[in-house]
Amino acid sequence: MASATYLQSLDSTYEDGTSRGVTASNRRQIETYLAAETLAIGDVVTFDYANADDGKKTLYVKKASKAAAKRNAIGVVLEAANSAGSFTVNEPIRVVIGGIVSAQVEGKDANGDSIISVGDLLTAGNVDGVFMNKVGATELPSAIALETVGSGAAAALKKVLILRNT
C-alpha cells in the first residue's frame, strides 16, 4: 500500500511525548519494492525497465545510472523490509521516493570532477547506485543536494531531498 503524501501534523511528538517519526510533518514517502540485484542502504535506484515481465517492471528496482534503461532514478534504499535484513535479489526493500534521505553522492558531473553545493540538482551518476551533479539539459533531475560534496570526492552518504519521479 502506498504511503500518504498529505500533511499529517505540524507537531513533532504525539500527545504522550513520543516522536512522530522522521520529520515534524512526516513528509517522507516510502514504498516497498523487490530487489532486482543486490542493493545496500543509500543506493540510488530505478525501476527494472528491462524486465521481460511487464508486471515486474515497476515491482523490481535496481541501481540507477546514466546507462540506458537505468537513467530515471526513482528513489534511495532506506532499509530491508524482511526479518533477515537482506538486500539480495527478490527480497523486499523500502525505498524513499520523496523526502529527505541519505544517499550515495559523488563529487562529479557528466564531464568529470565537480563540486556539489547545497541546492544543486542531482541525477543518476556514471557509477551504478550513485548521484552526481546534474549539468546537462537531457539529464533527469532526481534529487536536490542538502550537503556540500567536494569536487572529485568519492561516493559517500550525503543528505538529499528526493524529487518525486514515480
Side-chain angles (χ1 to χ4, degrees):
M1 183 170 161
S3 55
T5 59
Y6 55 87
L7 188 61
Q8 302 283 332
S9 171
L10 294 178
D11 297 323
S12 62
T13 58
Y14 290 104
E15 291 74 19
D16 66 0
T18 57
S19 175
R20 287 191 183 264
V22 177
T23 65
S25 62
N26 201 17
R27 298 291 289 171
R28 180 189 276 179
Q29 190 170 8
I30 301 166
E31 297 294 343
T32 303
Y33 297 102
L34 297 177
E37 62 187 355
T38 300
L39 299 169
I41 292 172
D43 279 347
V44 179
V45 294
T46 189
F47 290 127
D48 187 8
Y49 298 114
N51 195 306
D53 183 341
D54 285 347
K56 293 181 179 178
K57 289 184 188 302
T58 57
L59 176 61
Y60 283 81
V61 292
K62 60 184 177 181
K63 294 176 187 174
S65 74
K66 277 182 39 175
K70 291 183 169 186
R71 290 189 185 110
N72 183 30
I74 58 109
V76 172
V77 176
L78 178 65
E79 62 191 5
N82 56 66
S83 59
S86 177
F87 293 90
T88 56
V89 176
N90 293 320
E91 292 294 337
I93 57 163
R94 289 193 179 90
V95 175
V96 174
I97 63 167
I100 297 173
V101 66
S102 291
Q104 292 290 339
V105 181
E106 65 179 345
K108 296 190 182 234
D109 62 22
N111 302 315
D113 292 348
S114 172
I115 190 167
I116 296 174
S117 300
V118 173
D120 282 353
L121 290 174
L122 304 175
T123 189
N126 293 324
V127 176
D128 286 356
V130 177
F131 277 132
M132 69 177 181
N133 205 351
K134 179 197 174 320
V135 293
T138 59
E139 297 166 351
L140 297 170
S142 300
I144 298 171
L146 299 179
E147 292 184 77
T148 300
V149 179
S151 178
L157 290 175
K158 298 291 181 178
K159 285 185 210 166
V160 302
L161 173 65
I162 300 295
L163 303 174
R164 185 71 201 258
N165 284 332
T166 58

